[in-house]
């Protein structure tokens, strides 16, 4: 392992950082928004509002992340087109991804009633929490088309190794969302529905800004969009084939997160709310580590498209080195500051005390999860998406589910143990696939 980490040269580390730092900053704004939502609602006197936002946000996390293939698939294929290079193909991928995003988004809006009803039934929260969560969900659903289109744009920007625009988009959008949260809850006296409305407005503002920046970038790039191919169903085959594996992989992961939330809800509002606070910490960790995973997507995909084996392994070495350093820093941060952040997020004593009790699980998570984040980044860039699907299925059904079943007597501790075991399994299976697939020259 040490010899592999030493492969990267100075310029490889510079390439990684030039792409990673904007993505780290932009990614961290996403969970920071969740922290603001939690802090705004968490200081209201009734914990059911915090629980309702936790349930509603979880539902839309599953919904959006299930279609995260619109970002990941676009990134990997665009990066390979850049390495080829084939700018016409890059433009076609962008157009195809936006078309798919529009079709999927409008379909989900049309079928919102059974979708929301089924999701709330599966969560099985307490009746007063479910009522507030339904109000939240009935507003958030109208932001789906904008979010999915934004995924396609972000994937295309990242595949073209432009991480400055995603940084600008997410910073502007999330700052606007935070401001509107405060206005809705404290200025207008709204509750969960105010947080939802603020989010939807911000999502469409992001889409408008993203489309504007996309047109400016296209005007400076060579190539032409092959519009006739956009009407050909067969031309969507490669994109859809890549995306179907990503869809299954992501859906299984997010159903696991939904199961985690549901099991917490069955243990009462305090456990549900405390787990919601700690999952915000997990989102900070995952989005921070994803900065280097996104760099791995763009750079490994480019070298893979150019069939440059040495460059590929040097970039992977550099990305992994910085990911490990970041994981250590996250562990130290939550060890030293975790209790303070919990106290800032909520002044409800039972929620604060419960979250503090289970904080050690979060402290150890970065060092365990870092391996799965990095292998995912490499697999997206090289479109080894079937392997991503299969390793996720093995990890969830072969490890997470049995560990949860055997540790139910431990209550919430057993639930967190199963959660961490999922990342252990993903790291092991992903590492095995990486060694098997990439020890030979790229062909």
């Amino acid at each position: 392992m040490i010899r592999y980490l030493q492969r990267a040269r100075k310029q490889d580390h510079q390439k990684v950082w030039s792409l990673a730092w904007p993505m780290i900053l932009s990614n961290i704004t996403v969970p920071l928004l969740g922290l603001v939502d939690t802090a705004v609602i968490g200081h209201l006197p009734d914990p059911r509002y915090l629980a309702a936002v936790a349930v509603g946000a979880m539902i839309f996390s599953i919904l959006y992340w299930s279609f995260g293939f619109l970002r990941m698939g676009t990134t990997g294929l665009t990066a390979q087109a850049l390495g080829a290079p084939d700018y016409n193909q890059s433009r076609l991928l962008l157009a195809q991804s936006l078309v798919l995003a529009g079709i999927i988004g409008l379909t989900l809006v049309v079928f919102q009633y059974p979708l929301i009803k089924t999701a709330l039934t599966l969560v099985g929260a307490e009746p007063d929490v479910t009522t507030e969560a339904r109000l939240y969900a009935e507003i958030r659903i109208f932001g789906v088309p904008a979010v999915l289109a934004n995924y396609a744009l972000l994937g295309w920007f990242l595949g073209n190794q432009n991480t400055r625009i995603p940084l600008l988009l997410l910073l502007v959008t999330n700052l606007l969302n935070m401001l509107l949260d405060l206005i809705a809850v404290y200025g207008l006296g709204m509750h969960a529905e105010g947080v939802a409305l603020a989010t939807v407005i911000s999502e469409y503002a992001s889409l408008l800004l993203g489309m504007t920046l996309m047109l400016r970038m296209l005007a400076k790039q060579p190539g032409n969009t092959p519009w006739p191919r956009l009407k050909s169903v067969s031309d969507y085959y490669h994109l859809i084939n890549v995306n179907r594996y990503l869809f299954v992989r992501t859906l299984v992961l997010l159903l696991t997160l939904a199961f985690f939330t549901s099991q917490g809800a069955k243990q009462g509002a305090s456990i549900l709310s405390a787990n919601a606070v700690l999952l915000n910490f997990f989102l900070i960790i995952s989005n921070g580590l994803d900065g280097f995973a996104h760099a791995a997507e763009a750079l490994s995909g480019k070298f893979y498209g150019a069939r440059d084996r040495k460059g590929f392994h040097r970039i992977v070495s550099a990305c992994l080195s910085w990911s490990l350093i970041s994981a250590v820093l996250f562990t130290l941060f939550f060890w030293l500051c975790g209790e303070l952040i919990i106290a800032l997020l909520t002044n409800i004593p039972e929620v604060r005390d419960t979250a503090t009790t289970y904080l050690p699980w979060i402290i150890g998570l970065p060092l365990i999860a870092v391996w799965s984040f990095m292998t995912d980044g490499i697999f997206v860039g090289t479109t080894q998406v079937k392997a991503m699907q299969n390793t996720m299925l093995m990890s969830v059904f072969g490890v997470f589910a049995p560990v949860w079943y055997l540790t139910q007597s431990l209550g919430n501790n057993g639930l967190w143990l199963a959660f961490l075991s999922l990342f252990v399994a993903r790291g092991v299976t992903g590492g095995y696939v990486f060694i098997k697939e990439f020890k030979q020259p790229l062909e």
Side-chain angles (χ1 to χ4, degrees):
M1 174 60 70
I2 294 177
R3 290 182 61 187
Y4 189 84
L5 294 176
Q6 292 174 341
R7 288 192 180 194
R9 302 174 304 186
K10 181 179 180 181
Q11 53 266 45
D12 297 316
H13 290 288
Q14 291 173 341
K15 286 180 183 178
V16 169
W17 263 107
S18 68
L19 290 181
W21 76 260
M23 291 309 300
I24 291 172
L25 290 180
S26 57
N27 285 347
I28 287 178
T29 65
V30 177
L32 285 179
L33 173 61
L35 289 175
V36 171
D37 286 348
T38 301
V40 170
I41 296 295
H43 284 82
L44 295 177
D46 193 331
R48 69 189 171 100
Y49 297 123
L50 177 58
V53 170
V55 170
M58 178 271 296
I59 290 172
F60 282 91
S61 291
I62 294 173
L63 185 64
Y64 291 149
W65 289 0
S66 296
F67 297 101
F69 60 77
L70 289 166
R71 204 276 307 159
M72 292 185 287
T74 305
T75 297
L77 293 172
T78 301
Q80 292 178 35
L82 181 66
D86 187 345
Y87 292 101
N88 287 355
Q89 180 66 16
S90 173
R91 288 168 175 262
L92 179 62
L93 286 167
L94 171 61
Q96 289 176 330
S97 295
L98 287 173
V99 169
L100 287 177
I103 292 172
I104 295 170
L106 292 175
T107 301
L108 293 174
V109 171
V110 170
F111 292 99
Q112 61 176 280
Y113 177 75
L115 182 68
I116 293 172
K117 182 178 180 180
T118 301
L120 291 174
T121 300
L122 290 174
V123 172
E126 297 171 354
D128 55 345
V129 172
T130 299
T131 300
E132 286 291 324
R134 179 176 290 106
L135 292 174
Y136 177 94
E138 289 173 349
I139 296 172
R140 281 291 306 272
I141 192 69
F142 288 98
V144 171
V147 171
L148 299 187
N150 281 327
Y151 280 177
L153 290 175
L154 290 174
W156 185 75
F157 288 133
L158 182 56
N160 278 288
Q161 300 192 11
N162 187 327
T163 55
R164 305 294 177 91
I165 290 179
L167 171 60
L168 176 63
L169 286 176
L170 291 172
L171 282 176
V172 170
T173 304
N174 291 328
L175 288 174
L176 175 62
N177 200 336
M178 293 176 190
L179 176 62
L180 293 177
D181 268 352
L182 295 171
I183 293 173
V185 175
Y186 292 119
L188 301 178
M190 303 173 77
H191 298 128
E193 74 280 8
V195 172
L197 182 61
T199 303
V200 171
I201 293 173
S202 301
E203 287 162 351
Y204 278 97
S206 175
L207 178 59
L208 179 61
L209 179 58
M211 294 293 287
T212 301
L213 295 173
M214 174 202 74
L215 292 174
R216 290 183 180 180
M217 186 169 167
L218 284 173
K220 299 177 181 179
Q221 273 195 353
N224 297 289
T225 304
W227 294 110
R229 293 180 60 188
L230 195 60
K231 301 176 184 178
S232 172
V233 176
S234 61
D235 276 319
Y236 286 81
Y237 174 77
H238 190 32
L239 181 62
I240 293 174
N241 190 49
V242 167
N243 286 340
R244 69 187 178 101
Y245 291 117
L246 290 171
F247 174 77
V248 173
R249 170 260 179 198
T250 307
L251 182 61
V252 170
L253 172 61
L254 292 170
L255 287 175
T256 303
L257 291 174
F259 178 82
F260 180 93
T261 301
S262 176
Q263 291 302 308
K266 291 179 181 179
Q267 298 180 55
S270 295
I271 291 290
L272 173 61
S273 299
N275 283 351
V277 171
L278 295 178
L279 283 176
N280 277 313
F281 291 180
F282 165 68
L283 288 176
I284 291 177
I285 294 166
S286 62
N287 281 281
L289 295 177
D290 260 346
F292 295 106
H294 290 332
E297 291 175 18
L299 292 169
S300 69
K302 182 180 178 181
F303 283 110
Y304 186 80
R307 301 298 182 256
D308 182 348
R309 179 177 180 271
K310 291 183 178 180
F312 172 83
H313 283 290
R314 289 200 312 268
I315 283 299
V316 170
S317 171
C319 289
L320 180 57
S321 297
W322 289 108
S323 291
L324 291 172
I325 293 171
S326 299
V328 171
L329 293 176
F330 272 124
T331 290
L332 291 174
F333 175 75
F334 285 111
W335 178 41
L336 296 173
C337 305
E339 292 187 27
L340 175 61
I341 299 173
I342 291 172
L344 292 174
L345 289 177
T346 178
N347 59 0
I348 303 172
E350 56 183 332
V351 175
R352 186 176 61 237
D353 293 343
T354 303
T356 301
T357 299
Y358 299 106
L359 177 62
W361 293 107
I362 287 292
I363 294 173
L365 181 61
L367 296 174
I368 294 173
V370 60
W371 308 98
S372 59
F373 283 104
M374 183 50 51
T375 53
D376 277 357
I378 297 164
F379 294 159
V380 167
T382 58
T383 55
Q384 299 291 322
V385 289
K386 186 175 182 179
M388 288 181 68
Q389 171 195 271
N390 293 342
T391 56
M392 180 62 71
L393 291 172
M394 287 187 287
S395 299
V396 170
F397 295 108
V399 178
F400 172 82
V403 171
W404 167 79
Y405 181 79
L406 294 172
T407 60
Q408 291 182 73
S409 61
L410 299 178
N412 204 41
N413 279 313
L415 192 59
W416 277 101
L417 176 60
F419 189 64
L420 264 68
S421 72
L422 170 65
F423 290 96
V424 173
R426 287 178 60 198
V428 171
T429 55
Y432 171 79
V433 172
F434 175 79
I435 294 171
K436 180 182 177 182
E437 292 294 328
F438 298 111
K439 67 181 179 180
Q440 300 298 329
L442 301 178
E443 299 177 353

